[in-house]
Amino acid sequence: MENTSLNNVGANVVQEVFVYEGPVSMATLLEYGSLIRRYVEQKILSNKLFRIFIEIAQNVAHYSEEFIIDNDKRIGVGKVSLFEAEEYFELQSSNLVKKEDAHILCERCNMINSSDNSELRSIKRYIRSDTAVTRIGARIGLVQIALTAESKVDCVIEDAGHDISKFSISIKTRKNNTSWNV
Amino acid sequence: MERLIISSTTETPYIPNVDFNTETGICEISGDSYMEDTYKFYKPLIQWLVDYYREKKKPITLNVKLLYFNTSTSRCILEILECLKEFNRQGLDVNVNWYYDTNDPDMKNDIEDFEIESKMIINSIEL
């Protein structure tokens, strides 16, 4: 259902490229990362989508409150999807988070969406320099996907029970971007 | 100390190729980097550089040819650059060359950001 709520943006017809729901393991990353690289021919766009996909998928893998244990390894469970419209691709992810964290994450998205490219790069540098290697986490990941996509990060919070929310993000990447004429 | 070589394979495309050469001081990282436990992977690389500096006191050249790295890898790269900056501050000759595809504007921005953060001079080299 959350796909529908995030999908009805703009007049474009949106077509599903893939929707994966389950434990987001390294095998998942490899399978769908490879699919993106095969599916999107334009190299800059393909790179951008691959990079955004890895970041959002690893956020689910590392931070989802729903998880499985496989060979003593914690693997987050959630949903990652790619949709295509005439003018853009859209990557989405959703996973369970603590209710208090959902609001922090949404505030972070709002802060990201009110910052320009130069401010985002400055924020990224600040977080990276300020954060210990072992705790770098999702703080910088959201900033990075906004920078890579050159667009806003939409987020939706839905109640998923006591102290738990479903946190969904959606990010679009334009197919033709004049700034890519490098 | 020994030469540090790590090879990416078709089963592990998420780890980069690493070749830190004890004889020449040329250290190369190439490929993709988005493994699960980033710090566990990069800690031995940082330790190798520290050991090389202490034992050899010879110039170090770092050649970065990464095609993609995730955000947790970027923190480890910054730590490597900060480590090299400290060696340089103590008088060691250190060179950092970062090779990038001209069709990758995001990588060029990343290099600029690393240069600002680490205060290391990074030679951007177009592939």
Side-chain angles (χ1 to χ4, degrees):
Chain A
M1 284 302 287
E2 69 276 16
N3 285 336
T4 309
S5 66
L6 289 167
N7 243 350
N8 292 336
V9 183
N12 276 315
V13 174
V14 179
Q15 172 193 330
E16 176 187 310
V17 179
F18 69 78
V19 174
Y20 171 82
E21 190 163 14
V24 180
S25 63
M26 184 51 84
T28 314
L29 264 64
L30 294 179
E31 181 180 347
Y32 290 97
S34 168
L35 191 155
I36 288 170
R37 281 182 158 160
R38 287 196 311 273
Y39 187 80
V40 183
E41 286 180 7
Q42 211 267 25
K43 197 177 173 189
I44 296 179
L45 185 59
S46 175
N47 276 342
K48 282 180 177 287
L49 291 172
F50 177 82
R51 291 166 183 182
I52 297 163
F53 167 74
I54 296 295
E55 285 296 337
I56 64 171
Q58 288 192 320
N59 275 346
V60 174
H62 295 154
Y63 303 113
S64 178
E65 284 296 316
E66 184 184 4
F67 58 88
I68 62 161
I69 302 291
D70 184 29
N71 287 328
D72 294 332
K73 204 187 303 178
R74 182 192 189 282
I75 301 174
V77 172
K79 193 172 187 175
V80 280
S81 329
L82 175 65
F83 296 88
E84 180 178 11
E86 190 180 341
E87 292 177 357
Y88 61 85
F89 281 98
E90 181 171 358
L91 277 155
Q92 300 178 0
S93 71
S94 60
N95 59 278
L96 298 182
V97 296
K98 287 180 184 145
K99 207 156 267 181
E100 66 209 56
D101 292 341
H103 290 286
I104 294 169
L105 288 165
C106 266
E107 278 172 20
R108 209 165 277 160
C109 288
N110 292 337
M111 183 266 294
I112 288 166
N113 294 340
S114 63
S115 305
D116 64 21
N117 179 277
S118 163
E119 289 166 334
L120 284 175
R121 285 176 66 179
S122 177
I123 292 166
K124 183 177 84 168
R125 290 196 300 269
Y126 174 77
I127 295 172
R128 189 159 58 194
S129 295
D130 188 53
T131 311
V133 172
T134 48
R135 295 192 303 109
I136 191 82
R139 294 172 65 201
I140 195 171
L142 287 172
V143 178
Q144 185 60 57
I145 61 173
L147 274 168
T148 306
E150 299 173 64
S151 69
K152 296 186 186 309
V153 182
D154 293 323
C155 75
V156 174
I157 304 174
E158 294 167 81
D159 192 20
H162 182 65
D163 285 342
I164 292 289
S165 296
K166 182 159 81 172
F167 174 71
S168 303
I169 59 170
S170 166
I171 188 146
K172 291 177 180 171
T173 305
R174 275 184 292 159
K175 287 184 177 176
N176 294 305
N177 189 330
T178 49
S179 70
W180 299 347
N181 294 327
V182 289
Chain B
M1 64 184 295
E2 292 183 2
R3 186 172 179 173
L4 177 63
I5 297 178
I6 302 169
S7 298
S8 176
T9 68
T10 49
E11 283 76 39
T12 59
Y14 45 83
I15 64 164
N17 294 302
V18 174
D19 185 356
F20 283 15
N21 191 315
T22 322
E23 297 304 313
T24 62
I26 295 174
C27 304
E28 189 162 301
I29 307 174
S30 62
D32 286 342
S33 179
Y34 55 99
M35 68 291 291
E36 284 166 343
D37 196 343
T38 316
Y39 193 54
K40 190 176 172 186
F41 181 87
Y42 278 93
K43 198 175 171 186
L45 276 63
I46 295 164
Q47 190 58 52
W48 189 98
L49 290 168
V50 171
D51 292 344
Y52 184 85
Y53 170 69
R54 285 181 184 154
E55 289 182 29
K56 304 274 184 180
K57 293 255 184 320
K58 284 159 80 176
I60 295 175
T61 297
L62 175 67
N63 292 328
V64 183
K65 298 177 178 176
L66 287 170
L67 301 173
Y68 167 64
F69 52 88
N70 64 1
T71 46
S72 50
T73 294
S74 78
R75 184 63 184 83
C76 293
I77 292 170
L78 179 62
E79 189 153 313
I80 287 174
L81 293 173
E82 286 172 341
C83 180
L84 293 176
K85 176 69 185 171
E86 179 57 24
F87 298 164
N88 186 238
R89 203 185 61 79
Q90 293 184 24
L92 194 78
D93 187 7
V94 176
N95 280 296
V96 179
N97 302 313
W98 197 306
Y99 297 79
Y100 73 99
D101 186 339
T102 49
N103 284 315
D104 190 352
D106 295 325
M107 189 63 81
K108 194 161 191 328
N109 289 341
D110 277 324
I111 299 168
E112 286 172 11
D113 286 338
F114 277 125
E115 195 161 30
I116 293 168
E117 278 175 275
S118 68
K119 299 178 181 65
M120 272 296 293
I121 294 168
I122 300 176
N123 305 307
S124 302
I125 301 169
E126 293 182 0
L127 284 171

